[in-house]
Amino acid sequence: MLLRFLLLTVLNLALAACSEPETALRIEGRTMGTFYAVTLADPFPGGEKALHQQVEARLAQISQEISTYDPNSVLSRFNRSPANTPFPIPALMARAVAQGITAGQTTHGLLDVTVGPLVNLWGFGPDKRPQHTPSDAEIAAARARVGIDKLHLTQGKEGALLSKSRTDLYLDLSTLGEGVGADAIAELLEQSGVHHYLVEIAGAVRSKGHNPNGAPWRIAIVDPSDKPGAFQAVVAPKEMAVSTAGSYRNYYELDGKRYSHIINPRTGKPITHRLVSATVILPTALEADAYDTALMVMGPEQALTFAQKNRLAVYLIVKTDRGFEARYTPQFTPYLVQ
Ligand code: FAD
């Protein structure tokens, strides 16, 4: 399960190779159906136990707000609420929805946080895997429920209000969850006076300062070939957030075909092109997590053109007849470690 989601990995943590600093602290756990890890080169007030408790509490709060896997989450209750009825939502969820809407507009609907009916139809949400390939009629029915134009976010005096123009609209923030979580834990650490940390929630990473060895944090983009220890590239994030999405970890085979969990909202079907992973570097993990999935929907050529046009720091891995090939924008170059 853990390996299924390993698209990025952290280097330079072989503490045994040097004298272990007293302040090195690392906790690991599970959240959002995947793993998290927090590594500090600073002490945490109250020590490891307090760090673990506070991180777990923050992640549990996020799940209570935005999980489609929890029928009692705020998001699940919004999904069951009637159309055209403003529904109060908490600040963190509002931030995620606002980012989803912005990225949806920038990518002309290729990133779409209302894609849930299609995600579920293809068996990548809380529902079970389908027994047969969805028919054109089933895809068309699910597609009719999708579109960010059916979702409206407003900021009132009392807080954020969310409404929808169809009762059966199904909001799915899963693509942003890891980014939301990494930013929230980074915020918690900053508020606790920690200045040297690295937070990983599966493919989303936030870091600051230096690692327990006193060296810059370094993150490897894993090679899709799955050769043990093989990396495509090593990145020094320089306090920026790094997020990777990939099509080669989360998929299943049905009727002899392989289906990835990333859905093109225009076709209503899982992507089929040769882009296997997209890594994005941006100031927040939430933004990076939104654009890595959008690039995966676009495919290799459109993703590179979009990244160049928007001057994004992006690293793509493309499957070719000769193996895997890296393509990246000039904005990514300063982060690459030679
Ligand atoms: P990403 O590339 O970041 O996102 C892909 C996911 O986004 C797809 O799986 C789909 O849900 C959605 N998606 C697909 N296409 C699009 C598109 N075009 N636009 C927008 N979104 C799209 N998983 C479990 O198995 N068990 C759990 O208990 C569980 N709990 C969760 C709790 C929370 C709070 C959240 C946010 C998620 C939870 N998940 C759970 C889902 C899981 O964490 C991942 O979000 C999911 O597996 C995909 O994430 P990823 O990083 O692998 O892929």
Side-chain angles (χ1 to χ4, degrees), residues 58 61-62 64-67 74-75 78 87-103 113 148 151-156 158-163 171 173 176-177 180 183-184 286-287 290:
R58 197 81 180 92
Q61 185 209 340
I62 293 170
Q64 282 152 19
E65 291 190 19
I66 64 165
S67 177
V74 179
L75 183 148
F78 169 73
F87 188 97
I89 60 168
L92 182 141
M93 178 172 168
R95 213 186 303 163
V97 173
Q99 179 63 64
I101 292 173
T102 302
V113 290
I148 43 164
L151 187 68
H152 310 281
L153 177 68
T154 50
Q155 284 290 343
E158 308 288 313
L161 294 171
L162 194 59
S163 65
L171 181 63
L173 296 172
L176 305 176
V180 169
D183 285 343
L286 175 58
E287 292 168 276

Side-chain angles (χ1 to χ4, degrees), residues 134-181:
S135 67
D136 288 348
E138 287 172 316
I139 293 170
R143 274 191 71 206
R145 297 167 55 192
V146 175
I148 43 164
D149 55 318
K150 302 174 181 68
L151 187 68
H152 310 281
L153 177 68
T154 50
Q155 284 290 343
K157 270 195 201 135
E158 308 288 313
L161 294 171
L162 194 59
S163 65
K164 52 187 174 176
S165 56
R166 280 182 74 120
T167 296
D168 62 359
L169 182 128
Y170 185 98
L171 181 63
D172 178 355
L173 296 172
S174 282
T175 192
L176 305 176
E178 294 162 7
V180 169

